[in-house]
Amino acid sequence: VQLQASGGGLVQAGGSPRLSCAASGRTFSTLAIGWFRQAPGKEREFVAAITRNAGFTYYVDSVKGRFTISRDNAKSTVYLQMNSLKPEDTAVYYCAARTGIYIRTQPLEYDYWGQGTLVTVSS
């Protein structure tokens, strides 16, 4: 599976960019997808995830109510709509995929990773 994340850039605080993660190489609908982020000097952390059929989503507390994960299986793409961005949201954002039914929040539980897209939030 190849994953390509895009949509990052320099954003002002309060902005609302949307990240995309395009997949290829495997039937997309068999994959659960997660978004992670890694800020400078910090460990990679879970942000959000969505099940194969989009029936269930899960978010880290710090982004609940601000970020929305969604997917379009026809386009083999997952999105992360980010609203009300804060400077502390600055990080490289990665999408990751795993086979299986359930959402997981640990990076080691994901089988495939994209290259990451940098989101920088200015105050």
Side-chain angles (χ1 to χ4, degrees), residues 7 9 24-25 39 42 44 47 50 56 63 66 72-73 75 79-80 82-83 88 90 93 105 107 110-111 114-116:
S24 61
K42 295 188 177 181
R44 192 167 299 190
V47 175
I50 189 167
F56 186 75
V63 308
R66 299 190 298 123
D72 184 339
N73 283 351
K75 295 183 178 180
Y79 304 98
L80 185 68
M82 303 189 293
N83 297 327
E88 53 263 43
T90 294
Y93 284 73
T105 62
Y110 284 77
D111 306 302
Q115 86 290 357

Side-chain angles (χ1 to χ4, degrees), residues 48-110:
I50 189 167
T51 51
R52 300 182 301 186
N53 61 358
F56 186 75
T57 57
Y58 186 73
Y59 301 89
V60 69
D61 285 346
S62 60
V63 308
K64 282 181 182 177
R66 299 190 298 123
F67 291 11
T68 302
I69 189 171
S70 61
R71 67 189 294 160
D72 184 339
N73 283 351
K75 295 183 178 180
S76 297
T77 301
V78 168
Y79 304 98
L80 185 68
Q81 177 65 50
M82 303 189 293
N83 297 327
S84 303
L85 280 181
K86 305 174 182 179
E88 53 263 43
D89 294 316
T90 294
V92 177
Y93 284 73
Y94 299 89
C95 59
R98 65 183 306 274
T99 56
I101 298 173
Y102 302 109
I103 283 175
R104 294 288 184 261
T105 62
Q106 296 300 315
L108 289 176
E109 295 181 288
Y110 284 77

